[in-house]
C-alpha cells in the first residue's frame, strides 16, 4: 500500500542512477507505527513482512524478502507469488531480467489448524512424487504463472491481437491449459 509504493519508486530511481547500489531497500515494518504507537506491545497486528531489498547482480534483478513471521502452509504460497510478481514488475521497469529470489523468515510455522493439510501434502508427495520436492513444484508453477501473465500483459501493452480471434480471457485459458499439459508431460 501507501507505505511502500513511494519506496519502490525511489529504489527503482536509485538503481537506474546507480546500478551497483546496495541501498535499495523497501521497509514494510515501520517502527513509528508498530512500536511507538503501541501496536507491538498490545497485541495488535503488525506486518509479517519486514521488508525487501533489491539489487542488480550481473544485469539481473535479485530480490530478498525478510519476514518477521509466516505460516508456511496458509500464507507462504501467496506471499511468494506476490513477491515474485513484484520482482518481475520492478525488473520490467528497470528493463532487466529477473535474477534469483531469496525468502528469509524469522519464524516459519504451521498452525495447528493447518497441520492435517500439511501432513496430506507430505503424504501425497511421498506417494506420487517424482523425486522433486514440493518447493520444486511451487517454483515451477510460479514461473509458469508469471510467464503466462507477462505474455498476456506484453500483448495488451503492444496492442497486439490475440491468436485466432481469442478474447483476453480465452487466450489466458489457452495459456493455462498449455502450462498444465507441459506440467503433465514433465510428470510422465
Amino acid at each position: 500500500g501507501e507505505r511502500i509504493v513511494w519506496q519502490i519508486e525511489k529504489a527503482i530511481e536509485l538503481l537506474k542512477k546507480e546500478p551497483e547500489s546496495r541501498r535499495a531497500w523497501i521497509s514494510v515494518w515501520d517502527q513509528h507505527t508498530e512500536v511507538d504507537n503501541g501496536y507491538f506491545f498490545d497485541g495488535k497486528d503488525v506486518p509479517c513482512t519486514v521488508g525487501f531489498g533489491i539489487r542488480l547482480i550481473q544485469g539481473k534483478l535479485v530480490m530478498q524478502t525478510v519476514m518477521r513471521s509466516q505460516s508456511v502452509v496458509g500464507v507462504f504460497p501467496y506471499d511468494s507469488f506476490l513477491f515474485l510478481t513484484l520482482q518481475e514488475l520492478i525488473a520490467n521497469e528497470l528493463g532487466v531480467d529477473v535474477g534469483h529470489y531469496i525468502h528469509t523468515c524469522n519464524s516459519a510455522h504451521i498452525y495447528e489448524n493447518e497441520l492435517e493439510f500439511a501432513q496430506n501434502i507430505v503424504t501425497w508427495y511421498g506417494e506420487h512424487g517424482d523425486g522433486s520436492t514440493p518447493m520444486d513444484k511451487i517454483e515451477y508453477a510460479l514461473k509458469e504463472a508469471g510467464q503466462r501473465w507477462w505474455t498476456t500483459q506484453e500483448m495488451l501493452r503492444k496492442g497486439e491481437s490475440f491468436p485466432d480471434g481469442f478474447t483476453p480471457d480465452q487466450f489466458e485459458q489457452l495459456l493455462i491449459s498449455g502450462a498444465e499439459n507441459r506440467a503433465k508431460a514433465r510428470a510422465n
Side-chain angles (χ1 to χ4, degrees):
E2 290 178 27
R3 195 182 284 199
I4 67 168
V5 171
W6 68 272
Q7 293 181 71
I8 292 171
E9 291 169 350
K10 291 295 182 184
I12 290 169
E13 184 179 317
L14 172 64
L15 290 177
K16 284 181 176 178
K17 288 181 183 174
E18 298 177 42
E20 302 296 319
S21 179
R22 298 179 310 274
R23 297 186 317 270
W25 175 262
I26 293 87
S27 182
V28 177
W29 199 87
D30 176 38
Q31 172 188 345
H32 300 294
T33 302
E34 274 68 65
V35 178
D36 295 349
N37 291 333
Y39 296 165
F40 189 72
F41 299 104
D42 69 8
K44 291 186 180 176
D45 197 22
V46 297
C48 292
T49 308
V50 174
F52 49 95
I54 55 175
R55 292 181 56 199
L56 292 173
I57 298 176
Q58 297 178 345
K60 295 182 178 183
L61 183 71
V62 172
M63 182 167 154
Q64 179 178 13
T65 300
V66 178
M67 304 294 294
R68 172 186 61 80
S69 181
Q70 186 171 52
S71 163
V72 175
V73 174
V75 180
F76 172 74
Y78 303 101
D79 279 354
S80 59
F81 179 80
L82 168 73
F83 292 124
L84 288 165
T85 301
L86 184 59
Q87 181 184 16
E88 288 203 38
L89 290 169
I90 294 170
N92 188 51
E93 187 67 27
L94 290 167
V96 299
D97 289 331
V98 172
H100 59 274
Y101 174 79
I102 304 159
H103 194 90
T104 306
C105 186
N106 184 54
S107 174
H109 50 269
I110 298 173
Y111 288 107
E112 192 171 328
N113 66 343
E114 299 169 334
L115 192 56
E116 183 179 349
F117 182 67
Q119 289 170 332
N120 289 339
I121 292 171
V122 171
T123 300
W124 188 91
Y125 275 98
E127 294 171 358
H128 301 93
D130 58 2
S132 62
T133 68
M135 286 309 302
D136 293 336
K137 302 287 188 193
I138 291 170
E139 180 181 359
Y140 179 75
L142 290 171
K143 285 180 181 177
E144 285 288 329
Q147 186 59 46
R148 287 192 308 270
W149 188 84
W150 279 109
T151 300
T152 304
Q153 294 306 309
E154 274 297 299
M155 291 180 77
L156 290 171
R157 187 180 65 75
K158 292 177 181 177
E160 295 176 0
S161 59
F162 291 92
D164 300 323
F166 284 107
T167 66
D169 289 340
Q170 291 169 327
F171 185 67
E172 178 68 10
Q173 188 56 47
L174 176 70
L175 291 173
I176 290 169
S177 62
E180 288 170 348
N181 290 338
R182 286 190 299 278
K184 286 177 189 173
R186 274 188 56 183
N188 294 330

